[in-house]
Amino acid sequence: MAEKTITNIALVGCPNCGKTALFNALTGARQKVANYPGVTVERKEGVLALPDGRTASLIDLPGTYSLRGRSPDEAITRDVVLGRLAGEAAPDAIVCVADATNLRLALRLVLEVRRLGLPMVVALNMMDIVEKNCGRIDVTRLSQELGVPVIPTVAVKKSGSKALKLALASLQPATGVNLTDWQEPTAQELRDLHAEVERILKVSAFLASNSALTRKIDKVVLHPVWGTALLLTLLFFIFQAVFAWAGPAMDGIKAAMEMLAAFVNGAMAEGPLRSLLVDGVIAGVGSVLVFLPQILILFFFIILLEDSGYMARAAFLMDKLMAGAGLHGRAFIPLLSSFACAIPGIMATRVIQNREDRLVSIMIAPLMTCSARLPVYTLIIGAFIPDETLGFGIGLQGFVMFCLYAAGILSALFVSWFIKTFIWKKKAEPFLMELPSYKRPSPLNVLTELVIRAKIFLGRAGTIILAIMIMIWFLCTYPAAPEGAVGPAIHYSIAGMIGNWLQPVLTPIGFNWQIAVALIPGMAAREVAVGALSTIYALSANSTEAESALQPLLASSWSLPTALSLLAWYVFAPQCASTLAVVKRETNAWKWPVVMFAYMLVLAYAASWLTFHIAEKVFP
Amino acid sequence: MTQTVITIVIVVAAAAWLIWKYFLAARFGKGAEGCGCEACDKARLTKKD
């Protein structure tokens, strides 16, 4: 019989202990590294090459504070460690990652895991910060007290991974371990556990709780008034920068697209293929691509805030406001993720243990302004909002963008409050979270994240958006206008017919038939509406207008109330088929995507109607 | 004539790809859900519960 060896190792640790960074350092894989708790909500597996030539499978498990499994992601960690998860073998050994800067919290989990009797190594991560803060940990003594090897690591610098691999290679497989006997610790056992942690800390560690600088910064950053003012100022500055800094790069992309269109026009004879390339592909995809600089600037700031440790403080500040709206504190990370895209945000709600709390968070996640709305907002703002300053260097365009984001957040809070007050009446549960130390963001990590964001955006432009633009061009071009027809040929096309059919429903909110047509492909991906408008106007414009870019064309074709009405529509509109599909999967019922679609559609129509009619009175 | 043929091929290919992406891929376990970003792909591919 073959000798039993360690082939399956699980990586366990509290949220935000640097577990994911250590996983990357050990396996060479790349994954998002952030400072807020709960970023790892999925299982991830890699191959670990041990120094003796053997290889083992390394599983990165969701962060957890204990094995009790209070939320769905914590339950996954518990079930994998105990070998209870179907299709998942129990681990032969465990690497318990302990945040050295928060050792009290980490040791509770270490002791809980140690009780299982599996071979184990403790990775004492972020040791550099402990030393920088004048703390001291006697690693040898700690190892003696715990009875397992303890290896100091600095995962983000890949320091300590060699020693960790050596320690893992020297582990002997356990015999006679029966994980099925595991039972949740009783209250008395938990008290004993805390007492043991205190005893171990007393003999092996001297920890400065936080650096003096962190405490000084937090006095301002976490202050109810100054901290909130700082958060609002930061957000305001970011939206100003999105408009102020992106201009030259956007102009460059626009010019490149115009040159490409001119080249294709000159190189090809007139015909359907030339029209498809110029009016469909270049006008459609190009009008979306032009927003890449703005999206990258927005994400640059979000990544900086995450990596510096500020985002966790923002969660802390927002908790009171969120609790007032009946939201669980754990909803902050899913809702924050929804600013990039509602889909990972909805999936991240698995960290919320109560079903009703989770459903509320799912229902409001699409109200957070996702990055796909950005091209629509910037197109309309650029066309209709004058590039003026309100004084003190505050740009009007950036201010309007800030208001749109704020409208999304406030409406999400309102919907949550409404549900929790009138439908699911339940008191909000307390929320505990750790605040990480401030860190200097790694330029490499920021760059890597920006490259990933650019690749996602360009990937969408080159696949979904390109394919839909081709279909839009087809629908806008065929059937051709009959002999002797007057007016642009697009009026006789399938798209023209659909637009005219939908127009009576949308006229009360100020939408014309072109907008009606653009809203349909916008169901697949919101930003497609921009490309669709570009193609529709390129095909319906006369020869002089066709030379113009989309923004001046819209400015001359729409009224200001129509533009504002469309902005209001996009704050609420349930226009994303993928989001609805994910809601169905996550809730395992058709009821919730139907409810979401219906309530958001009603909100969108009502908001557009109000905006249009008020704007008509104010700007006649 | 050549332009017409190439145009038809491109339009049919785009339509077929969209039908696959939004209506068929999930049935064949290739996953049509998600916006196509890395986070969605990861969550979809690694979902076990």
Side-chain angles (χ1 to χ4, degrees), chain A residues 270-287:
Chain A
E270 195 178 344
L273 185 59
R274 189 177 85 170
S275 173
L276 168 65
L277 292 177
V278 174
D279 301 324
V281 176
I282 299 171
V285 179
S287 62

Side-chain angles (χ1 to χ4, degrees), chain A residues 17 62 339 535:
Chain A
C17 66
F339 279 109
T535 299

Side-chain angles (χ1 to χ4, degrees), chain B:
Chain B
M1 184 62 190
T2 317
Q3 279 206 25
T4 307
V5 173
I6 297 171
T7 306
I8 291 169
V9 171
I10 292 172
V11 171
V12 170
W17 185 81
L18 285 170
I19 290 169
W20 162 260
K21 169 90 185 148
Y22 283 99
F23 299 104
L24 298 177
R27 288 178 187 227
F28 293 92
K30 301 290 180 189
E33 294 160 357
C35 69
C37 79
E38 197 186 39
C40 297
D41 284 346
K42 266 190 213 161
R44 187 179 66 234
L45 293 173
T46 58
K47 190 170 179 289
K48 287 273 178 187
D49 53 330

Side-chain angles (χ1 to χ4, degrees), chain A residues 224-239:
Chain A
V225 177
W226 303 122
T228 310
L230 179 71
L231 176 62
L232 289 175
T233 310
L234 274 173
L235 291 176
F236 198 81
F237 171 77
I238 291 170
F239 294 122

Side-chain angles (χ1 to χ4, degrees), chain A residues 250-297:
Chain A
M250 289 177 77
D251 290 343
I253 297 173
K254 221 180 283 175
M257 288 299 152
E258 281 166 10
M259 275 171 61
L260 189 62
F263 172 77
V264 175
N265 265 331
M268 289 179 73
E270 195 178 344
L273 185 59
R274 189 177 85 170
S275 173
L276 168 65
L277 292 177
V278 174
D279 301 324
V281 176
I282 299 171
V285 179
S287 62
V288 178
L289 276 183
V290 91
F291 297 103
L292 177 64
Q294 288 182 321
I295 286 171
L296 290 185
I297 290 169

Side-chain angles (χ1 to χ4, degrees), chain A residues 323-534:
Chain A
L327 275 170
H328 191 278
R330 281 193 169 202
F332 182 79
I333 299 300
L335 295 181
L336 192 69
S337 307
S338 302
F339 279 109
C341 172
I343 291 162
I346 287 166
M347 290 196 253
T349 59
R350 278 183 242 160
V351 298
I352 302 166
Q353 80 190 74
N354 180 280
R355 187 174 174 272
E356 288 171 357
D357 285 340
R358 187 173 173 222
L359 273 173
V360 173
S361 304
I362 288 175
M363 282 293 139
I364 64 168
L367 290 171
M368 299 290 130
T369 304
C370 67
S371 56
R373 284 176 173 110
L374 204 59
V376 182
Y377 286 174
T378 44
L379 172 78
I380 299 171
I381 290 172
F384 288 92
I385 308 297
D387 188 10
E388 293 170 357
T389 56
L390 295 167
F392 306 105
I394 300 168
L396 181 61
Q397 293 183 331
F399 176 74
V400 173
M401 179 73 93
F402 175 79
C403 291
L404 289 169
Y405 270 72
I409 296 167
L410 292 176
S411 58
L413 292 175
F414 173 77
V415 171
S416 169
W417 172 83
F418 185 86
I419 295 174
K420 283 303 193 88
T421 307
F422 297 106
I423 303 170
W424 290 324
K425 295 169 191 171
K426 190 171 161 285
K427 212 175 165 216
E429 289 179 10
F431 172 51
L432 286 174
M433 74 179 292
E434 56 174 296
L435 295 178
S437 307
Y438 287 105
K439 295 183 187 74
R440 187 180 302 149
S442 150
L444 185 66
N445 193 44
V446 174
L447 189 67
T448 310
E449 285 292 320
L450 281 180
V451 169
I452 289 171
R453 280 288 141 199
K455 274 164 77 177
I456 291 167
F457 186 76
L458 295 175
R460 278 165 71 82
T463 52
I464 294 172
I465 295 172
L466 174 67
I468 295 174
M469 281 308 122
I470 291 169
M471 298 316 299
I472 293 282
W473 171 85
F474 176 78
L475 295 175
C476 291
T477 308
Y478 297 100
E483 288 276 325
V486 287
I490 194 170
H491 284 293
Y492 304 93
S493 68
I494 300 170
M497 289 179 224
I498 295 171
N500 286 322
W501 179 70
L502 281 175
Q503 201 181 358
V505 186
L506 298 174
T507 300
I509 57 173
F511 292 1
N512 58 23
W513 71 267
Q514 288 97 331
I515 298 174
V517 174
L519 291 181
I520 299 167
M523 274 301 294
R526 285 184 171 98
E527 66 269 50
V528 169
V530 170
L533 281 172
S534 187

Side-chain angles (χ1 to χ4, degrees), chain A residues 137-185:
Chain A
I137 297 173
D138 184 342
V139 176
T140 314
R141 183 71 193 265
L142 184 62
S143 175
Q144 283 168 359
E145 293 294 336
L146 293 172
V148 296
V150 176
I151 310 295
T153 58
V154 184
V156 288
K157 294 178 184 164
K158 297 191 178 178
S159 162
S161 37
K162 205 172 166 185
L164 189 57
K165 285 181 186 177
L166 274 169
L168 284 168
S170 65
L171 288 179
Q172 293 302 313
T175 50
V177 174
N178 190 356
L179 296 172
T180 51
D181 286 348
W182 183 86
Q183 282 188 331
E184 209 172 273

